[in-house]
Structure formats: structure tokens, C-alpha cells
Amino acid sequence: MTTLLLKNARLVDPSNRLDVESDILIVGGKITKIGKNLTAESGAETVDLSGKTVAPGFLDMHVHFREPGFEHKETITTGCASAAAGGFTGVCCMPNTDPAIDNPAVVSFIHERGREALEGAVDVYCIAAVTKNREGKLLSPMSELAAAGVVAFSDDGSPVSDAEIMRRALEYAGMSGKPVIQHAEESSMTKGGAMNEGRTSTILGLPPIPAVAEEIMVGRDIRLAEYTGAAYHVAHVSTAGAVDHVRRARVLGLKVTCEVTPHHFSLTDDAVEGFDTNTKMNPPLRGKEDVAAMKEALRDGTIDVIATDHAPHSPDEKAVEFVNAPFGIVGLETAIGLAVTGLVEPGIISLNRMIELFSINPRKILGLPAVEIAEGKPANLTIMDLGVEYTVDTASFKSKSKNSPFGGKKLRGKAVGIVNNGRAIFA
Amino acid sequence: MPLASRHLLGLRGVPKEDIQQILDSAASFREVLERPIKKVPTLQGKTIVNLFYESSTRTRISFDLAERRLSADVVHFTSDSSSVKKGETLRDTARNLEAMKIDMIVVRHSAAGAAKFLSDVVKANVVNAGDGAHEHPTQALLDMYTLREKFNSLEGLRVCILGDILHSRVARSNIHGLLTMGAKVSVCGPRTLIPRDIGEMGVEVYTDVDEAIRDVDAVNVLRIQHERMERAYFPSIREYHRVFGLTAERLAKAKPHTVVLHPGPINRDVELSADVADGERSLILRQVLNGVAVRMAVLYLIGTGS
């Protein structure tokens, strides 16, 4: 793609209050012109986007691309294909790989693979471990890792349990200005747990993961964030009590942010009936009140980001007894559909707000350059069909893994393509 | 009438007529068990695998006897003698067994949902003989059979389930079955061993044994496992027995007709004092006898259904 002309699209960018029907001309990866009835030189690729919406490129700040170490679940190449198909121009890889992302060599390996995949159409960022080998004991070399280009620190999959280590991590990471992202879970209360504690866990006899275990960890961490003055981000917040903690922290003006996954605002723990292992993730699907609280917090601005926690597992790994199945589901290719269907269509949030949640806020939290739809800016775009209705077919996922509870679900709204780094990919 | 389901995975959602039919059918098999020759040709030519991933003496022998008395061919598979140690998954094991043309699987497993999982991956009929803390439907059916035998009807009967409700599949199956049959169910035990949300299953919750058993017709006492102390569910066996053990003294304060059930094996003088276990209000051995008949009824109705 040297020259790309997108015709008749609805361009929406809340950062510069743009919402127009227009053409957009992209030359050498840059937006050179926005306006009606644009023409391009012969040989330029022209795509008619009548009825489609173009937004600043979406960034998923929480994915597991499994490379290095677990390439049978996903590779950076298949992960990027999944991201592109789902409308994401950027992703942040969590460090629970093998070896873990806890040293600059692994960081440059992942960056390199990211540049190769789809010829670099998807920006692949790293979130490095807080502690060496994610063991919660010794700090990772955070300054070196920051210099190698990581965007945040997290031991995701495991919490940083020890309060003293968490304090030091916040202080040390604070020097680089990078946030510490916590998988908030008081492990002593969740040992052996398989699903949310509630009516359904009681009936199914599955070992419980109580909501309070997430809430007390978020509460502790917010006090530590206040004490250290560092930036703290709650990964995949899932309970009403946890978002209440975040809401109060905001009132105090603390540097506290949080993300929610599409499944935590779309499904309750009722979905676990039938023991489908594609409803097993951590944090688990929660109760009705919690799902309502997620929607309210998305509406009132307490939740900053929608991130998928894309967690691929092979079919064999999931085809076991519920308690023995690994946690996690893939999420990149259903995220837009779930947000449009569950949040925008019912009027809980506006389209502008959805774009903030997917594109603007995650970059702000991670200190990445803002993406704008404006002349002279790099073309980093997510293209969506907000009106299309379809049934989710997991077999058609570009991800190497198909572990999703949304197969067969009717959704409205999906990505039809991305433009980034001089590449255009259309579904 | 065939049962609504071709498997027995639990009692949740099983219609009243089906439970009725199983209990009625069990009554016929109970007569068979009184004959000099305790065998009928009902399941001749059918092959049943008893797939036991958890140790069990009573349930395994009870199923084994029930199967043989129905003239089925029986194969046993236990986790210590099997390919489990070699790392084979439940799905693969079941598919391999099925390739050998078996008709029914009776499964006992430590994972909740294991029976449902099996029924999804094999064509054979599946009977749940206990899956984690989920369900143990044949135990609840034999408990209900024993109560019906004693009281003629389950409608309006008041039953208290006493002990470790949290980890108990027997409690859950009893709650589903008894409520379906119109009984009133309460649970009692230390707060730590009662699920927070058990009330949503439609039962009353007590932590005081005297209060819990005062007006009931039957107390179903559950086995307490010593290893539960390790995760601080209760402080000591001594304290458990003092506060939650069913003793003759306590039982004397209940109604004179109140009976005692226990799914076994009993920890004597822990959850149940020896004099109650062996006393005239105890239906424990009756339960064991009825268990064979109830399992014959289940295997018959499932095995000759659709």
C-alpha cells in the first residue's frame, strides 16, 4: 500500500470531535487529506466504505500471545492475525510466557516477531513482569526493561501477593512513570477455586472464588498507590466492590485506572451451568449485580478501558473436567461485537465513549502517543461495520485457538479492517 | 414410561414422575432381593463399566451387586489399576472403553461435572455415582426410598441434613430430590461448612442442632472428614462432636418418631454417637439394603429406556 483512498466512510474521533462522512486519503502510511469527493492517482487502491465507521486504531492492552513457550496455543503471528481480524492495530502482551518477559532479550524477541507478523500491521508491545519469573519475590530489572520499550509491569495470571514487594514495585516502577498492572486476587482465599462463589457454584458444587478476594486486593493496592504516589492499574476488574474502590480512588485524585473484559460485562456465572470449560476464566464470570456494576462503571467513566484478556488454549487442554481445565478464553475477535451489542446498542455508552475505551484511554494510561484521525498524522485506523448482524462462528477465528463461550451468539457490529504502519488489512 | 433423560447425572431437574417411577420400580426389585434366587434377566447382554476414579467400597459394591442381579456383564475400572497413572484423559479413557462396545458407564469422580462431561463425549448411558461436590443421585434416591418406606410419603416430610454441606454431593442431591417430592428441607452445620448461598436452593439454614432437629421427621447425618480441619473449617474433632454430633441426648429432644440416616462410612462418636448409629431410630443398614434395589431400578430404567 503506497496510496490508499477510503471513500464515503463515517470518520469518528472523539479526541478532535470529528464525526463526519468523508473520504480519507492515505499516502505512505500518513493521512494526507480528509474531505469529500477525493480522487487518487491511478494505481491507488480505492475502497468504498459506505455505511462503515472509521475510528482511531484500537489497542488491546491485555493479551496472551503465548510465544515464547506455548506456541501450540498461539503465536505472535496468529495472535496478530486475530487482532487484525478483531479490529485492533495494537496489543500489549502479558509476560506469562516461558521464559517470562522479565529480561530485555525476551522483549526484543517479541518486538521482532511483532514486526514480522503481517508485515508489522499490528503494533506489538510488551508488559514485563513485576518480579523475576513472576514469582512474586525479587523485582525484575524494571529500568532495563523500560529502556527496552516495555509499556507497563504486571505479573498477570498471578497477583503480587506480598504487600511489601508490591510497595517496592510501585516505588521502583514509579521512577519510569510506567504503571503497575495488578491481577487483583487474594490467593489465600481462592486456592483451588474454579468459579465465582454464588448460587451457581453452590448448585454445581464447584470450588468457589469469592468476589471479596478481588476486592480486598484492590483495596490494599489503592492504599499502597496512594502511599507511594505511583500509577496503579487494575487488570480485568470484575466485581461491584472492586469498581467501588476505584471510584473512590478517583475522587481522591489518585493515579488509579482499571480495565474490564467484554465477557465480564456480557455474561454472568449462570453461563457455567452445563460445565462448559469455555466459561472458565480468572477472574471468573460474576453475579448479576457485578455485571450491572460493570455497565454502570463503563457509563460513569470509572472504567477506563475495555481489554480482552485474550487467553488462547488448545481444544485438548479445555476438553477436560471443569476443575482441571485452564483458565481463559480468546477475546480479540468478539470484542467489538460484544461492546456494540451489549453497551452501545442499548444506550449504556455512546460510540465516542466506546472509542475512548478501546483506543484513546489505553494509550494514555501506557504513555503511548495519541492516535488521531487528522491530516498529517500516521494512519492508524480501525474500520467497523456497526450495523451488521451475524452469528459468531469460532471456527472462522484467525486465532490458533477457538476457546470462546460466544460461539453461536448473535452479535451486532464487527471489525472489517485495520490500517496501520502503511499496511491495510480487510476481512 | 421411559425416563425424561437417557442418563442419570443428578436429581436437579428430574421430574417428580420420574423419581416416583424409580422409587416404585425399586420397590419391585426389593421383593426380588427377598427371594432365594436374587437375579432377574432384565439387562442380559448389556455391558456396564464401573468407572471409579475415587475410592469407594459401599457404592461400588452396591452398583456391582445391582448390575449382576440384573444379569448385566460388568467390568470394573479403578484409578489405581488403570491408565490414569499413565496420564490418559477422562475423555480418552471413556472413548476407548466405548470402542469396546459397552452400553452403560457408572462413574465416580472427584471433579464436579465429570458425569455430565462423560455424557457429552460418549454414546453410552451414564449414571453418576458421585462427582465431586456436585451430585450423588442414587444415594439421594435410596435415602428417599428409605424415608418413603418408613413414612409412606415424602410430601410434607421434614428432613434436616446435618454436617459438612459445603463438600457434600449427597446433600445437594437430597435437596433437589426431596424438594421435588414436596418435602421440607433444612441444613445444619458449622457456618464454615455451609455454602453462603445455600438458601437460594430453597432450604432453611441452622447452626444450632437442637433447634434444627426439634420438629423434623428425619435427620440425615453426613460424614465429617478429618482433613477439613487443615483449612480451618472447624477447630477439632472433639469440638465438632460436642457442638454438631448427633447424640442420643440430643435426639431425645426431637420428636419421638424422628429417624436417623447416614450415607456412610460412619465416624463413630464424631458426627454420630455409637448409641444412635446402632439404636432403634437408625435406618442406616436399611439404607444399604435399599441401595441395591434403588440402583437396580435406575439401571433398569436407564438401560431399557430409549
Side-chain angles (χ1 to χ4, degrees), chain A residues 10-32:
Chain A
R10 178 185 174 197
L11 309 181
V12 183
D13 183 353
S15 69
N16 52 21
R17 300 181 170 209
L18 182 74
D19 189 348
V20 291
E21 194 148 305
S22 178
D23 300 345
I24 178 165
L25 183 67
I26 298 155
V27 181
K30 258 193 180 157
I31 300 172
T32 54

Side-chain angles (χ1 to χ4, degrees), chain A residues 79-104:
Chain A
C80 284
S82 180
F88 291 91
T89 64
V91 292
C92 301
C93 295
M94 282 294 179
N96 57 341
T97 47
D98 185 18
I101 310 179
D102 65 358
N103 67 77

Side-chain angles (χ1 to χ4, degrees), chain B residues 112-123:
Chain B
K116 162 75 167 65
F117 175 80
L118 265 188
S119 74
D120 289 338
V121 296
V122 299
K123 289 185 206 74

Side-chain angles (χ1 to χ4, degrees), chain B:
Chain B
M1 272 288 287
L3 302 178
S5 171
R6 51 184 299 270
H7 308 291
L8 181 67
L9 306 178
L11 291 190
R12 183 171 178 222
V14 173
K16 189 172 184 174
E17 309 76 65
D18 282 9
I19 292 177
Q20 201 85 51
Q21 196 184 351
I22 292 168
L23 299 183
D24 291 346
S25 171
S28 317
F29 286 115
R30 265 294 269 107
E31 287 167 33
V32 173
L33 296 181
E34 301 298 335
R35 294 179 196 163
I37 293 171
K38 301 172 180 58
K39 196 158 177 162
V40 288
T42 317
L43 291 184
Q44 207 156 44
K46 296 264 186 190
T47 306
I48 302 177
V49 178
N50 295 321
L51 191 56
F52 275 60
Y53 284 90
E54 251 186 2
S55 61
S56 153
T57 308
R58 184 175 327 246
T59 304
R60 196 171 56 79
I61 290 174
S62 181
F63 266 108
D64 186 42
L65 273 174
E67 290 152 2
R68 288 174 202 280
R69 286 174 176 173
L70 292 168
S71 306
D73 295 315
V74 183
V75 182
H76 287 287
F77 178 108
T78 50
S79 56
D80 43 313
S81 65
S82 71
S83 47
V84 175
K85 283 187 180 160
K86 299 173 194 163
E88 193 177 53
T89 64
L90 177 58
R91 179 156 144 264
D92 282 337
T93 303
R95 284 191 167 164
N96 275 283
L97 289 170
E98 183 155 77
M100 298 178 208
K101 304 290 180 200
I102 55 141
D103 301 293
M104 294 175 85
I105 298 176
V106 174
V107 62
R108 156 72 60 99
H109 200 288
S110 62
K116 162 75 167 65
F117 175 80
L118 265 188
S119 74
D120 289 338
V121 296
V122 299
K123 289 185 206 74
N125 305 101
V126 176
V127 174
N128 184 3
D131 61 329
H134 179 223
E135 288 229 38
H136 191 355
T138 58
Q139 177 69 45
L141 286 165
L142 75 87
D143 292 348
M144 289 193 285
Y145 182 92
T146 306
L147 290 174
R148 196 181 74 161
E149 192 180 49
K150 175 83 187 171
F151 295 103
N152 293 319
S153 166
L154 297 170
E155 183 75 46
L157 205 68
R158 302 171 73 116
V159 181
C160 175
I161 307 172
L162 172 64
D164 179 359
I165 311 297
L166 186 65
H167 300 96
S168 177
R169 50 195 173 213
V170 175
R172 286 172 177 79
S173 286
N174 263 290
I175 291 169
H176 294 307
L178 286 166
L179 290 178
T180 301
M181 300 310 287
K184 288 197 173 69
V185 185
S186 60
V187 297
C188 180
R191 192 61 255 188
T192 46
L193 288 171
I194 297 178
R196 281 171 60 83
D197 303 285
I198 195 84
E200 297 199 36
M201 290 180 77
V203 300
E204 287 198 52
V205 181
Y206 294 90
T207 52
D208 182 315
V209 181
D210 292 331
E211 198 190 330
I213 68 172
R214 192 162 50 213
D215 296 316
V216 300
D217 302 298
V219 188
N220 198 340
V221 185
L222 302 176
R223 180 181 165 78
I224 191 80
Q225 285 175 323
H226 296 218
E227 55 267 34
R228 300 297 178 211
M229 279 186 291
E230 285 158 26
R231 283 197 71 184
Y233 287 109
F234 62 95
S236 71
I237 290 292
R238 195 178 100 104
E239 175 154 323
Y240 188 88
H241 180 67
R242 282 198 165 188
V243 183
F244 298 100
L246 188 62
T247 58
E249 201 185 351
R250 280 216 163 94
L251 197 54
K253 289 188 256 170
K255 287 185 183 171
H257 71 265
T258 305
V259 296
V260 177
L261 306 180
H262 190 298
I266 301 168
N267 291 309
R268 281 177 180 266
D269 294 322
V270 182
E271 69 268 7
L272 197 59
S273 65
D275 48 5
V276 176
D278 303 328
E280 56 182 12
R281 299 212 204 176
S282 165
L283 298 180
I284 296 171
L285 292 176
R286 197 79 188 168
Q287 286 173 275
V288 178
L289 169 65
N290 292 339
V292 178
V294 164
R295 288 178 175 117
M296 286 173 81
V298 166
L299 293 164
Y300 156 68
L301 289 167
I302 296 279
T304 58
S306 54

